């Protein structure tokens, strides 16, 4: 169970220096969100990770005030968060170096207030989706757009390669195409339906999202799920991780033209999805994690599940081992998409992207939730290389560790579930809760504010959003044909990034 | 062992579907059916229980809108006498109205016209069909299920189904997602770039109705707000079998859908 977050109040003019101060002391900047307060006020909340705990620094902008000193000059990782807040709340971070629209490029220079993030029920918005950003002009500058409809079956996103003559091209990412305003949607749902929407924020990481959301509600209510339920959550969360990591490797093999490896790994992934469905009736395990526990035990029984898991584990291990001995494949990944530790560390890069560039940190160890501590979880070793290969090595280590966790959890299950209880009642309690989970993409944090029994504000902070801002850094100096590996090795979900 | 030999180890892994049903394809929930249509005393409760408003009661009679159902199972748990999971993955329909179950006595003629019009357009696609996929605000899981059609189990190329990068070579537009405002333009442009005749499939409840993601300031309630849709595939997300059924239904290689 998550302990209540520490909440600090600061003046809006002091927010940047307060966060920078904590970061200078070794804390990690983990996000910045806005919430509409009463009567047109706006509350800014900075999320900071300190050792094993999370802290929220809150600053209030009184009604009518729409600016505050930007955090970005001292904490570059805040850039995307401030752009998002600017789009959704119309609040200006003063001295932000490049305040381009990110999730909502509204038509016109002075868009209507209140902005959609504030919760005022306005109509549908009109977006400026002109194929090229109108403001990019200049001599010797050309822009190559790629997306949002791309070759292959991909989520919608647009990459722009901006090139200034002979200089190293710069990559820009435009994620607004599939922005769904999903955060606002939470506030119109009964608290009990929130978990269903959480499963659909980043659909390939449904279990992680449902878990983090429920952790927040459970933390507010002071309820702990029964031990058996905690184990079932581990089983499904780790199978989800294996599926996502396999997907990343599959895209590498596809990009490298490794046809047989591609066919075999897609076969294993399909078998994994089938196993997941046989365990719970859904290929993405939706409906398993519910506030207070899980909907029930694995449908195949612990022994039947174990059998399927072991067979899959052996097959995946054999083929990934062979893949890691295929020089023509490894050559494509080595030194491709370099993300140096000097960039990854200050940004607080998350998940396998961080671990491939020397950034340790896994929620399953830092703030153990569910049954991870009892199962003896050990995080994957970090790598120093920072290239696509390092990220793949980290992922394959995690696949092996996830299989071990699934087996350990299934072994433990018959004993832990002896009481036959799968969920506790979770009363809806007012307050601000934080819930986290290590999603396949990295640390996932849910900020859940409940007021008068309603979900007043839900903010999923996805690793996809946080890490996607780093993609341009990993692109520097690479040739365009390497792009597929850089993107695949980041392994991010556009739904999770666009919101 | 070299990769070439590895590829041969497994023998045949390809599904027998659509020639014969696939055992796995029928082993998990694909839709919810109504087994008793009389509204219970707690009728309103059942309607309100559904997170997406998929259950309607008209004249004391229950109707379930599969274009909105996310298969959360709440109604099945609350009233197993009336609601039950359906394991047949052939859930796609021509037109949206057949997604309301059980079928009411509606506009039969309209449906027949719809089918005939579609059959006329797809005559040329029976041997091979080229699909362009567009994400219009999905949650990301739909893309996995669409991409799964290319794995050795579904291996849709064996059926003459191909995915293409260029809309100019595409016969069929397969759209996922709740219809995000940002994708309205690109979706429209892709559709317009496709040659005639063309067919549109809305894949998943989000594409069919907006699903749970709708309404917000940035979603439009599905593909229909932007393009004429021929075939609907429910599911959240739809499984590869349901997607394959939708594609085969659109090109006339299988007959009816879930209401059989
Ligand atoms: S299973 Fe479908 S119809 Fe039943 S409550 Fe859930 S969404 Fe509504």
């Amino acid at each position: 169970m998550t302990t209540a977050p520490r909440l600090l109040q600061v003046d809006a003019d002091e927010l940047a220096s307060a966060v920078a101060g904590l970061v200078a002391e070794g804390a990690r900047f983990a996000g910045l969100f806005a919430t509409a307060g009463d009567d047109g006020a706006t509350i800014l909340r900075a999320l900071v990770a300190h050792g094993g705990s999370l802290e929220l620094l809150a600053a209030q902008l009184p009604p009518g005030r729409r600016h505050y000193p930007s955090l970005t000059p001292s904490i570059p990782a805040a850039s995307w968060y401030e752009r998002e807040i600017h789009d959704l709340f119309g609040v200006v971070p003063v001295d932000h170096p490049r305040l381009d629209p990110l999730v909502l490029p509204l038509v016109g220079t002075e868009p209507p207030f209140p902005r959609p993030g504030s919760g005022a029920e306005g109509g549908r918005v009109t977006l400026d989706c002109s194929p090229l950003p109108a403001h990019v002009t200049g001599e010797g500058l050309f822009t190559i757009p790629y997306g949002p409809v791309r070759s292959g079956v991909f989520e919608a996103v647009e990459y722009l390669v901006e090139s200034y003559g002979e200089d190293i091209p710069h990559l820009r990412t435009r994620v607004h195409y599939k922005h769904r305003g999903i955060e606002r949607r939470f506030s119109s749902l009964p608290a009990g339906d929130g978990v269903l929407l959480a499963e659909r924020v980043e659909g390939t990481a449904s279990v992680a999202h449902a878990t983090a959301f429920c952790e927040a509600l459970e933390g507010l209510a002071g309820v702990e799920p029964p031990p058996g339920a905690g184990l079932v959550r581990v089983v499904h969360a780790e199978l989800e991780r294996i599926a996502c990591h396999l997907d990343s490797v599959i895209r590498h093999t596809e990009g490298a033209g490794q046809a047989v490896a591609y066919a075999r790994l897609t076969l294993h992934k399909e078998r994994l999805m089938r196993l997941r469905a046989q365990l719970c009736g859904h290929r993405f395990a939706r409906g398993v994690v519910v506030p207070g526990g899980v909907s029930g035990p694995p449908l195949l029984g612990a022994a039947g599940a174990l059998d399927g898991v072991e067979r899959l584990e052996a097959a995946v291990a054999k083929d990934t081992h062979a893949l890691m001995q295929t020089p023509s494949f490894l050559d494509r990944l080595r030194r491709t998409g370099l993300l140096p530790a000097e960039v990854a560390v200050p940004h607080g890069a998350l998940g396998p992207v961080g671990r491939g560039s020397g950034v340790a940190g896994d929620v399953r160890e830092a703030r153990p939730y569910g049954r991870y501590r009892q199962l003896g979880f050990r995080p994957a070793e970090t790598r120093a290389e920072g290239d696509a290969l390092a990220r793949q090595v980290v992922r394959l280590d995690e696949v092996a560790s996830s299989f071990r966790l699934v087996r350990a959890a299934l072994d433990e299950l018959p004993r832990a579930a002896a009481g036959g209880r799968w969920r506790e009642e979770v009363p809806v309690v007012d307050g601000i809760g934080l819930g986290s989970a290590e999603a396949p993409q990295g640390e996932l944090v849910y900020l859940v504010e409940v007021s008068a029994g309603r979900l007043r504000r839900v903010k999923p902070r996805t690793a996809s959003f946080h890490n996607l801002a780093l993609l341009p850094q990993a692109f520097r100096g690479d040739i365009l044909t390497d792009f597929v590996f850089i993107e695949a090795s980041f392994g991010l979900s556009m739904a999770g990034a666009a919101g | 062992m070299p990769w070439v030999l590895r590829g041969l180890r497994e023998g045949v892994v390809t599904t027998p579907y659509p020639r014969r049903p696939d055992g796995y394809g029928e082993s998990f929930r694909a839709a919810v059916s109504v087994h008793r249509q009389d509204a219970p005393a707690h009728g309103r409760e059942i309607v309100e229980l559904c997170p997406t408003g998929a259950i309607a009661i008209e004249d004391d009679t229950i109707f379930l809108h599969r274009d909105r159902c996310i298969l959360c199972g709440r109604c099945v748990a609350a009233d197993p006498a009336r609601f039950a999971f359906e394991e047949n993955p052939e859930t796609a329909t021509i037109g949206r109205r057949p997604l309301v179950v059980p079928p009411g006595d509606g506009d039969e003629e309209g449906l027949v016209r719809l089918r005939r019009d579609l059959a006329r357009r797809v005559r040329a696609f029976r041997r091979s069909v080229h699909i362009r996929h567009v994400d219009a605000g999905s949650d990301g899981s739909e893309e996995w299920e669409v991409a799964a059609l290319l794995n050795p189990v579904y291996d849709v190329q064996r059926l003459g189904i191909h995915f293409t990068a260029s809309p100019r070579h595409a016969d069929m537009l397969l759209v996922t997602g709740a219809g995000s405002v940002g994708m309205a333009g690109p979706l429209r442009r892709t559709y317009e770039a496709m040659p005639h005749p063309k067919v549109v499939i809305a894949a998943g409840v989000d594409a069919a109705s907006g699903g749970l993601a709708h309404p917000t300031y940035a979603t439009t309630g599905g593909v229909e707000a932007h393009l004429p849709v021929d075939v609907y595939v429910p599911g959240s997300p739809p499984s590869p079998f349901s997607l394959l059924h939708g594609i085969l239904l659109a090109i006339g290689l299988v007959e009816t859908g879930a209401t059989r």
Side-chain angles (χ1 to χ4, degrees):
Chain A
M1 196 185 79
T2 329
T3 45
R6 245 182 73 196
L7 297 165
L8 294 171
Q9 296 288 338
V10 295
D11 192 88
D13 289 326
E14 309 296 326
L15 184 63
S17 50
V19 175
L22 288 173
V23 168
E25 286 166 24
R28 168 170 62 89
F29 171 79
L32 181 71
F33 330 118
T35 300
D38 298 322
D39 316 323
T42 308
I43 301 154
L44 296 171
R45 291 198 180 96
L47 182 69
V48 175
H50 225 315
S53 63
L54 293 174
E55 278 173 29
L56 279 174
L57 281 79
Q60 176 128 2
L61 297 176
R65 182 170 161 185
R66 289 196 212 286
H67 61 88
Y68 68 98
S70 169
L71 275 64
T72 303
S74 48
I75 305 159
S79 176
W80 273 37
Y81 294 92
E82 296 196 311
R83 289 168 62 190
E84 184 188 48
I85 291 170
H86 179 239
D87 286 347
L88 297 179
F89 294 84
V91 172
V92 178
V94 178
D95 289 333
H96 187 289
R98 191 169 176 176
L99 199 57
D100 292 340
L102 182 65
V103 294
L104 210 60
L106 295 172
V107 172
T109 47
E110 192 54 42
F113 289 103
R115 291 275 185 106
S118 71
E121 290 310 326
R124 203 168 287 150
V125 292
T126 313
L127 297 196
D128 176 7
C129 290
S130 39
L132 287 175
H135 61 274
V136 176
T137 51
E139 218 166 314
L141 167 73
F142 65 94
T143 309
I144 310 166
Y146 178 46
V149 180
R150 308 192 284 148
S151 56
V153 179
F154 290 116
E155 288 190 77
V157 62
E158 184 179 44
Y159 297 108
L160 295 171
V161 181
E162 292 178 355
S163 187
Y164 302 83
E166 296 297 301
D167 282 356
I168 293 169
H170 176 68
L171 185 81
R172 295 181 61 214
T173 314
R174 304 222 295 168
V175 297
H176 63 265
Y177 291 100
K178 61 179 303 176
H179 176 67
R180 294 170 289 161
I182 202 109
E183 292 168 17
R184 290 291 321 140
R185 181 72 182 116
F186 275 101
S187 309
S188 58
L189 292 177
D193 290 358
V195 65
L196 299 174
L197 188 61
E199 290 178 326
R200 287 158 177 85
V201 170
E202 189 168 33
T204 51
S206 294
V207 179
H209 275 260
T211 303
F213 177 82
C214 290
E215 283 270 333
L217 286 188
E218 290 156 7
L220 280 171
V223 170
E224 185 128 17
L231 292 170
V232 174
R233 284 185 183 182
V234 169
V235 169
H236 286 287
E238 297 310 316
L239 292 178
E240 173 175 279
R241 189 178 325 279
I242 297 167
C244 285
H245 286 1
L246 278 183
D247 188 69
S248 163
V249 181
I250 285 167
R251 287 170 64 184
H252 284 142
T253 57
E254 188 182 20
Q258 294 281 341
V260 181
Y262 171 80
R264 293 202 49 87
L265 292 174
T266 54
L267 174 63
H268 298 327
K269 185 184 168 206
E270 174 63 22
R271 287 181 170 155
L272 172 59
M273 299 304 279
R274 291 180 166 209
L275 179 65
R276 296 173 74 188
Q278 282 161 343
L279 292 182
C280 68
H282 197 284
R283 286 165 60 94
F284 292 83
R286 290 183 185 168
V288 171
V289 178
V290 294
V294 295
S295 54
L299 296 177
L300 290 177
L306 205 51
D307 184 50
V309 168
E310 277 169 355
R311 262 185 294 149
L312 197 60
E313 181 177 15
V316 168
K318 259 196 209 131
D319 281 333
T320 51
H321 180 78
L323 189 62
M324 294 308 284
Q325 319 263 306
T326 307
S328 58
F329 173 69
L330 301 181
D331 285 346
R332 299 301 303 268
L333 304 189
R334 197 171 286 125
R335 301 203 52 79
T336 297
L338 268 182
L339 181 70
E342 302 91 83
V343 177
V345 173
H347 187 87
L350 301 171
V353 175
R355 292 192 271 280
S357 294
V359 186
D362 185 313
V363 188
R364 293 173 289 175
E365 186 199 38
R367 301 187 293 283
Y369 54 100
R371 308 299 290 175
Y372 284 104
R373 199 198 304 266
Q374 292 84 342
L375 292 171
F377 169 73
R378 291 264 168 284
E381 298 272 330
T382 62
R383 310 284 306 190
E385 300 89 338
D387 55 4
L389 183 57
R391 295 190 276 277
Q392 169 153 306
V393 170
V394 167
R395 281 201 181 86
L396 292 179
D397 283 353
E398 292 191 14
V399 165
S401 131
S402 292
F403 271 122
R404 279 195 299 275
L405 281 167
V406 173
R407 279 193 279 109
L410 287 171
D411 269 339
E412 195 59 32
L413 191 60
R415 198 148 18 96
R421 270 191 85 72
W422 298 105
R423 79 188 281 191
E424 303 290 344
E425 204 51 52
V426 180
V428 181
V429 175
D430 282 8
I432 296 176
L434 286 177
S436 27
E438 182 73 16
Q441 296 79 10
E443 178 194 66
L444 169 67
V445 180
Y446 264 74
L447 178 140
V448 177
E449 185 176 355
V450 183
S451 152
R454 308 274 312 173
L455 297 172
R456 175 180 177 145
R457 170 82 168 119
V458 175
K459 171 70 200 183
R461 203 305 318 276
T462 65
S464 293
F465 181 87
H466 192 87
N467 279 351
L468 190 57
L470 284 174
L471 198 71
Q473 308 276 352
F475 180 69
R476 305 254 153 132
D478 285 288
I479 48 170
L480 275 174
T481 47
D482 283 339
F483 186 71
V484 50
F485 301 108
I486 302 175
E487 196 192 23
S489 69
F490 266 59
L492 307 177
S493 149
M494 291 307 149
Chain B
M1 188 191 303
W3 278 112
V4 195
L5 295 181
R6 280 179 180 274
L8 303 173
R9 268 191 324 200
E10 299 269 349
V12 177
V13 296
T14 310
T15 177
Y17 184 81
R19 261 180 303 111
R20 280 179 285 118
D22 181 299
Y24 163 77
E26 317 235 328
S27 72
F28 65 98
R29 59 203 197 205
V32 176
S33 285
V34 181
H35 285 195
R36 264 180 59 188
Q37 261 198 294
D38 57 306
H42 55 276
R44 281 252 65 78
E45 270 168 53
I46 281 285
V47 168
E48 273 156 29
L49 193 68
C50 177
T52 54
I55 299 172
I57 295 181
E58 289 157 35
D59 299 332
D60 281 330
T61 310
I62 299 176
F63 292 98
L64 193 144
H65 293 247
R66 285 185 176 166
D67 51 347
R68 287 209 275 276
C69 171
I70 59 168
L71 293 128
C72 74
R74 283 190 190 167
C75 56
V76 179
D79 195 342
R82 288 184 173 77
F83 302 95
F85 279 125
E86 181 87 44
E87 263 117 38
N88 175 4
E90 298 195 323
T91 51
T93 60
I94 296 171
R96 190 167 168 182
R97 207 173 49 79
L99 285 174
V100 182
V101 293
D105 25 59
D107 176 20
E108 271 310 311
E109 256 175 61
L111 266 182
V112 170
R113 220 175 316 120
L114 221 64
R115 288 210 186 97
R116 209 179 298 135
D117 163 61
L118 180 62
R120 193 161 30 75
R121 268 183 289 148
V122 299
R123 221 167 280 150
F125 307 160
R126 291 210 171 191
R127 278 171 188 281
S128 88
V129 63
H130 288 82
I131 304 178
R132 173 66 252 194
H133 157 260
V134 173
D135 163 21
S138 75
D139 68 31
S141 61
E142 288 91 340
E143 281 66 30
W144 273 27
E145 299 300 56
V146 174
L149 294 174
L150 297 166
N151 74 34
V153 177
Y154 303 99
D155 185 25
V156 293
Q157 284 101 332
R158 79 196 146 101
L159 301 165
I161 299 168
H162 307 278
F163 283 82
T164 175
S166 166
R168 284 180 186 81
H169 301 142
D171 313 305
M172 182 181 283
L173 189 59
L174 182 71
V175 191
T176 53
S180 59
V181 173
M183 280 306 289
L187 181 60
R188 185 90 232 160
R189 287 195 287 277
T190 306
Y191 177 77
E192 277 161 9
M194 289 168 61
H196 287 281
K198 48 191 162 192
V199 172
V200 177
I201 298 185
V205 283
D206 288 6
S209 70
L212 197 60
H214 184 72
T216 73
Y217 60 86
T219 55
T220 55
V223 183
E224 219 174 59
H226 308 275
L227 304 175
V229 177
D230 297 294
V231 167
Y232 292 81
V233 189
S236 181
S239 75
F241 279 109
S242 297
L243 289 166
L244 183 50
H245 176 244
I247 295 166
L248 295 173
L249 183 68
I251 55 182
L253 284 182
V254 296
E255 287 285 293
T256 38
T259 46
R260 69 181 183 184

